[in-house]
Amino acid sequence: MNRRTFALSLSLALAVGGCARVRSSKLNPFNWFGRSEPREQVALPAAPQDARNLVGEVVSMAVEPLPTGAIVRATGRTPTQGWWNAELVAQPVTENGLLVLEFRILPPVTRTDVNLPQSREVTAALSLSQRKLENVREIVVQGQSNARSSRR
C-alpha cells in the first residue's frame, strides 16, 4: 500500500510541477503581451488616410488574450468633453514586428466644457486575429502627445 501511495504522490507532484513551466512559458497565450508602458511616439505617414484627429493623450492600454487572438483596449483623454467616434486604426506591421494603432477620434460638434479629467476619457478597442498577430512583437497605441506599448 505504501508503494502505491508513494508512486501516485510522485506522479502527481511531477504533473503539477510541469504545469508551472507551461504557465510561465511563451506557449501560454496569456503571457503573450505584458503590461503597457510609456513609449516614444512612432513617426507616422505624412498624409494620414483618416481625417479624424489623434486623441490628446493615451492614458492606458491593455492587450487581452482570446482563443482567437487578442483585443487591444485603450483609454484616451480629450481636451474637452463631447469627442466621439473613437477607433483604433491599425497601420501595416513593420519588418521588426511593430504594430502601430492610431487612436483616432472626432471633435465635438458644438462648444463643450472641460470639466474633470475622468469625464473626458474615451475608450476604444480593436480585435486582432491570431493570423494578424503572428509577426507582431510590439503593439503601440499612439495619441497626439504620447504613446503606450505592450511587448511580447
Side-chain angles (χ1 to χ4, degrees), residues 5-22:
T5 306
F6 177 73
L8 183 61
S9 298
L10 182 62
S11 63
L12 183 61
L14 290 173
V16 171
C19 290
R21 289 186 199 126
V22 172

Side-chain angles (χ1 to χ4, degrees), residues 77-98:
R77 188 170 294 134
T78 59
T80 60
Q81 294 176 328
W83 290 70
W84 58 288
N85 197 15
E87 184 180 7
L88 297 176
V89 179
Q91 300 301 308
V93 178
T94 66
E95 295 173 3
N96 300 336
L98 176 67

Side-chain angles (χ1 to χ4, degrees), residues 1-7:
M1 183 82 164
N2 284 340
R3 218 178 216 174
R4 277 189 184 160
T5 306
F6 177 73

Side-chain angles (χ1 to χ4, degrees), residues 41-60:
Q41 290 185 294
V42 178
L44 298 174
Q49 296 185 2
D50 196 328
R52 294 178 286 184
N53 299 333
L54 287 170
V55 73
E57 173 189 5
V58 180
V59 177
S60 67

